[in-house]
């Protein structure tokens, strides 16, 4: 169970509030910086959250600027291709990240993917610090499998707040608070796929462009207008009804 404390940028995190585990190392999430040997400071204002079960600590915030953090799942847009890397954009406020062309499941120099400018990729951040550009991967290093990472074909990309991105990425619907929109659309018999990135992006794909646009805009409206549970249910049912008429 996570606990929360409000922190400001530059605050030193009291060791007494940090979780401890007999075998797992402490995991630092977004909004925190480790200063050797033992100092941890906040880089943003928000709720300091700790999870004793996972031995993790992070700061929940809803700023407009994405700061890459190791382990984040992101949706990247290819800007150009070099000899060994794809150079991709994560947001308007960060420098391009490097994605090794062999960092895909089963990729070799002959079989590596050919990604053109504007192509979308679901990737994981593997390197993130203020002295170097971020680096990404589209394969799990331990298993060699993509595990859902890789090129996102078709569909459309929508911008959302960092807070909404985190809500969409929570594993259990019960952890997402009052976010019920997508459940209602799915229960209405509408087939669709989404991929959410911690960098404030969500990719949506469905059988019809009209449906894709409707779902993407509905997610944005739920985010920007803070739609209530009832308003989300009404909107989700309307989308499901409209799809049946296509």
């Amino acid at each position: 169970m996570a606990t929360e404390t409000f922190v400001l940028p530059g605050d030193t995190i009291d060791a007494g509030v940090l979780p401890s585990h007999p075998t797992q190392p402490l995991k630092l999430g977004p909004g925190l910086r480790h200063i050797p040997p033992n100092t941890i400071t906040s880089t943003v204002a928000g709720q300091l959250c700790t999870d004793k079960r996972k031995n993790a600590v992070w700061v929940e915030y809803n700023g407009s600027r994405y700061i890459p953090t190791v382990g984040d799942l992101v949706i990247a847009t290819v800007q150009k291709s070099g000899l060994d890397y794809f150079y991709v954009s994560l947001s308007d406020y960060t420098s391009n990240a490097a994605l090794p062309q062999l960092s895909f499941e089963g990729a070799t120099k002959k079989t590596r993917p050919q990604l053109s400018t504007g192509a979308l990729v679901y990737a994981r951040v593997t390197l993130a610090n203020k002295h170097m550009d971020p680096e990404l991967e589209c394969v799990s290093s331990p298993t060699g499998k993509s595990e859902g990472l890789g090129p996102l074909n078709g569909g459309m990309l929508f911008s959302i707040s960092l807070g909404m991105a985190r809500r969409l990425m929570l594993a259990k619907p019960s952890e997402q608070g009052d976010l019920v929109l997508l459940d209602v659309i799915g229960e209405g018999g509408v087939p669709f796929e989404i991929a959410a990135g911690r960098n404030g992006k969500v990719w949506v794909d469905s059988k019809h462009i009209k449906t894709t646009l409707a779902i993407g805009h509905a997610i944005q409206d739920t985010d920007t207008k803070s739609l209530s549970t009832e308003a989300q249910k009404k909107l989700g049912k309307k989308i499901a009804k409209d799809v049946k008429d296509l």
Side-chain angles (χ1 to χ4, degrees), residues 16 31 150 203 221:
W203 172 84
D221 284 347

Side-chain angles (χ1 to χ4, degrees), residues 22-220:
T23 57
Q24 294 185 36
L26 179 65
K27 300 173 184 175
L28 296 186
L32 295 174
R33 175 180 297 147
H34 174 233
I35 302 176
N38 300 312
T39 302
I40 298 174
T41 63
S42 171
T43 60
V44 297
Q47 293 292 332
L48 178 71
C49 301
T50 62
D51 191 324
K52 294 181 179 179
R53 183 174 59 85
K54 297 180 179 180
N55 203 38
V57 58
W58 68 97
V59 178
E60 285 286 357
Y61 63 99
N62 199 25
S64 59
R65 181 186 180 190
Y66 170 67
I67 302 174
T69 300
V70 172
D72 278 359
L73 296 179
V74 295
I75 298 177
T77 304
V78 175
Q79 300 298 309
K80 63 180 180 179
S81 176
L83 183 62
D84 298 310
Y85 293 88
F86 295 112
Y87 295 95
V88 301
S89 171
L90 299 182
S91 76
D92 295 334
Y93 307 104
T94 57
S95 56
N96 283 346
L99 172 61
Q101 295 186 7
L102 297 183
S103 185
F104 293 82
E105 182 176 349
T108 66
K109 289 188 176 181
K110 292 184 178 180
T111 64
R112 57 190 176 184
Q114 302 298 314
L115 301 177
S116 58
T117 299
L120 301 176
V121 180
Y122 201 37
R124 180 186 296 108
V125 178
T126 57
L127 175 66
N129 63 56
K130 62 181 181 180
H131 303 296
M132 300 177 66
D133 290 340
E135 289 190 9
L136 313 177
E137 66 179 3
C138 284
V139 65
S140 172
S141 300
T143 66
K145 302 295 183 180
S146 65
E147 298 183 358
L149 304 179
L152 295 172
N153 299 314
M156 301 183 70
L157 187 66
F158 300 86
S159 295
I160 53 177
S161 70
L162 301 184
M164 174 60 83
R166 287 191 291 272
R167 290 173 69 190
L168 288 171
M169 297 177 76
L170 290 172
K172 299 178 181 179
S174 60
E175 297 175 343
Q176 297 175 350
D178 59 355
L179 182 60
V180 299
L181 174 72
L182 298 180
D183 290 335
V184 173
I185 295 174
E187 290 167 0
V190 181
F192 67 94
E193 293 181 83
I194 74 163
R198 292 294 293 249
N199 55 327
K201 307 292 181 183
V202 61
W203 172 84
V204 182
D205 191 24
S206 65
K207 291 183 178 180
H208 303 282
I209 293 178
K210 182 178 178 181
T211 306
T212 298
L213 283 168
I215 295 174
H217 289 155
I219 293 173
Q220 289 179 321

